[in-house]
Amino acid sequence: MSYRKLLLMQVISFIIMYSVMFLNVDELNHIYTGTTRTYMTLLMVLPMGILMLLMMGKMYPKKKLNTAIIIISLFLLVVFIGALRTQTAIG
């Protein structure tokens, strides 16, 4: 499996998870997109990407690239947790 496919899976997961957040909306005109929902979706997708690399390591043999992806994902996870907690970029 290629790293492009991993990225594609992450993008599709982001779209699905972002969309699932709207399942409890009663009417279409009650749907509001926002930065908080984006942060929350990223907080779900980033750990999933790390888990996928760790659990399917044989499918992704480039150890240095895997380590870089994990470190960047962990960094972004901390950044987005901080942004969510401080309401950065939320009006």
Side-chain angles (χ1 to χ4, degrees):
M1 189 173 283
S2 73
Y3 287 90
R4 280 190 193 167
K5 193 173 264 188
L6 176 66
L7 178 62
L8 179 63
M9 286 189 296
Q10 291 295 91
V11 170
I12 292 170
S13 295
F14 179 90
I15 292 167
I16 291 170
M17 289 181 193
Y18 192 84
S19 300
V20 164
M21 283 195 257
F22 296 102
L23 288 178
N24 64 341
V25 173
D26 189 35
E27 296 179 19
L28 288 178
N29 63 346
H30 291 169
I31 292 177
Y32 299 101
T33 59
T35 310
T36 299
R37 291 181 195 265
T38 303
Y39 288 158
M40 290 304 298
T41 305
L42 287 166
L43 290 175
M44 290 184 273
V45 170
L46 288 168
M48 189 172 67
I50 294 169
L51 181 64
M52 289 165 65
L53 277 175
L54 294 175
M55 298 300 290
M56 300 185 294
K58 291 181 182 178
M59 299 171 79
Y60 302 101
K62 298 178 183 176
K63 299 298 180 195
K64 287 184 180 180
L65 182 56
N66 292 354
T67 302
I69 292 170
I70 289 170
I71 290 170
I72 291 169
S73 295
L74 287 171
F75 173 76
L76 289 175
L77 192 62
V78 170
V79 167
F80 290 123
I81 288 172
L84 181 64
R85 298 290 295 159
T86 60
Q87 299 291 295
T88 302
I90 297 174

